[in-house]
Amino acid sequence: MRAVAPAETGEPIRKVRVESVDKIADAIVAISLVSLDGDALPDWQPGAHVDLLMTENLIRQYSLCGSPADRMRWRVAVLHTPDSRGGSAWLHTCVQPGDVLPVRGPRNNFRLAPARRCLFIAGGIGITPLLPMIEAARGQPDVDWQLAYGGRSRSSMAFVHELEQMGERVEIVSEDESGVLDLDRILGEPRIGVAIYACGPEGLLTELERRCRSWPPGTLHVERFRADAPTGGSAAGAETFQVVAQQSGVTVDVPPDRTIVEVLEERGIYVPVSCGEGVCGTCITRVIEGDPEHRDAVLAEDEQASGELITPCCSRSRTPRMTLDL
């Protein structure tokens, strides 16, 4: 992943101070961030995340899991994964209270929509974006909500003690004690008026998508850690296609082993990139002409179907030529 200069994104980069770093579960730390001058931080809504610019070439996204009502601090929780590409390892081993970090955001691709009944389903560290959503649901007496939260063991599950105080609406299931989440029981029969929000490992989200096909369209809302490979294809493209950057007047060929972003960058056209995997939404670009082959996990189904937007960090073109608003 390349470094992203502030001018490339148009989004302001601010510096925050690490207020605390606390171990809250096996291999998970909660990091509290405050402004340098003691002023309130920018407003945000449940489902939002921030970019942490940890080193020159290391940018990662983390869900805000504190309270939106607390304007003085942001909280993120970070799992140190065995296959870490550097982000979680750096935050676990290098960050100390008092350190200053550049951040960008907040940005929200996982918004909480109005609903009379909300079902939250979390797997492991996927609990983080759901916590502010649960707080919002609890603050509305007319909203019926439930949480099903699964993990390998209770010691590996973040915020368990906090959630246990919420009573019978919360179901905590650890594999070493009770097995995996019983999704058929948790979901029940398809019905109207339910919003399902889920975040966690890909296996959990795939199973939820399969089971929710018979539910009303738009019922299930998911946030992924990484984008899927396209159905029936691999991560690499099958054919070369052309991309026209209309504003710049540049046309490039994008071969099967390169991304749109990489090829355009070589011609001096810098597209804002953060995750590089189609999960953060930083690089979303308007399509003027052509048919995108979507490989992201951030655009909604209707946005993908419209063909008007693309994430050029990972997506490709189904047509031989595509024109972008760049």
Side-chain angles (χ1 to χ4, degrees):
M1 182 181 297
R2 68 182 181 87
V4 181
E8 295 181 40
T9 66
E11 290 185 273
I13 291 178
R14 62 177 48 83
K15 291 185 177 181
V16 294
R17 179 172 55 82
V18 177
E19 181 182 47
S20 61
V21 181
D22 301 302
K23 182 176 180 179
I24 58 173
D26 293 345
I28 299 177
V29 294
I31 302 174
S32 178
L33 305 169
V34 296
S35 66
L36 295 183
D37 55 12
D39 290 343
L41 291 165
D43 192 18
W44 60 280
Q45 298 298 318
H49 68 265
V50 292
D51 298 344
L52 298 187
L53 288 69
M54 291 169 272
T55 66
E56 183 180 359
N57 296 297
L58 195 58
I59 304 170
R60 296 291 184 267
Q61 298 75 42
Y62 294 98
S63 297
L64 291 172
C65 58
S67 171
D70 185 356
R71 295 290 307 280
M72 303 309 297
R73 62 184 46 78
W74 289 336
R75 180 178 70 173
V76 299
V78 182
L79 170 67
H80 189 176
T81 57
D83 61 345
S84 169
R85 295 174 298 151
S88 68
W90 191 88
L91 288 170
H92 272 255
T93 59
C94 298
V95 171
Q96 301 291 331
D99 288 350
V100 175
L101 291 176
V103 301
R104 186 169 52 223
R107 188 184 306 116
N108 201 335
N109 303 310
F110 190 41
R111 296 183 182 276
L112 181 64
R116 295 299 299 273
R117 187 169 191 276
C118 294
L119 175 58
F120 303 106
I121 302 176
I125 197 64
I127 189 62
T128 52
L130 302 185
L131 287 176
M133 294 185 175
I134 294 168
E135 177 183 321
R138 294 180 72 201
Q140 303 179 57
D142 60 337
V143 174
D144 182 19
W145 66 274
Q146 288 182 299
L147 166 67
Y149 177 22
R152 294 189 307 275
S153 64
R154 292 179 70 86
S155 64
S156 70
M157 300 169 70
F159 307 111
V160 167
H161 298 301
E162 179 179 325
L163 291 165
E164 285 177 329
Q165 308 305 312
M166 299 182 187
E168 296 181 354
R169 293 180 183 269
V170 174
E171 178 183 5
I172 297 174
V173 178
S174 61
E175 292 182 26
D176 60 347
E177 296 176 359
S178 310
V180 298
L181 292 172
D182 184 350
L183 296 181
D184 289 332
R185 176 186 57 78
I186 292 167
L187 293 171
E189 294 298 319
R191 51 203 182 278
I192 298 173
V194 179
I196 302 172
Y197 295 89
C199 184
E202 184 57 36
L204 171 65
L205 302 184
T206 299
E207 284 300 307
L208 282 171
E209 289 175 331
R210 182 177 67 82
R211 286 170 166 82
C212 287
R213 288 172 188 161
S214 57
W215 287 65
T219 295
L220 179 64
H221 310 264
V222 302
E223 180 160 79
R224 284 183 155 85
F225 300 135
R226 295 184 181 180
D228 290 334
T231 303
S234 63
E239 297 180 356
T240 296
F241 59 92
Q242 278 192 337
V243 167
V244 179
Q246 187 177 65
Q247 294 184 32
S248 306
V250 171
T251 299
V252 297
D253 292 329
V254 182
D257 61 342
R258 307 292 302 283
T259 69
I260 297 173
V261 166
E262 290 171 340
V263 176
L264 287 176
E265 183 178 347
E266 291 179 349
R267 296 292 300 274
I269 302 171
Y270 295 99
V271 182
V273 173
S274 183
C275 73
E277 296 183 336
V279 296
C280 74
T282 302
C283 70
I284 291 175
T285 301
R286 188 168 71 90
V287 177
I288 297 172
E289 185 179 2
D291 183 13
E293 180 187 279
H294 296 289
R295 301 186 174 199
D296 66 275
V298 66
L299 292 175
E301 289 183 9
D302 58 340
E303 291 176 319
Q304 291 190 349
S306 74
E308 297 176 355
L309 299 171
I310 188 172
T311 52
C313 71
C314 64
S315 297
R316 301 185 67 80
S317 177
R318 298 184 187 279
T319 48
R321 186 181 177 95
M322 172 179 287
T323 302
L324 302 181
D325 188 15
L326 291 170

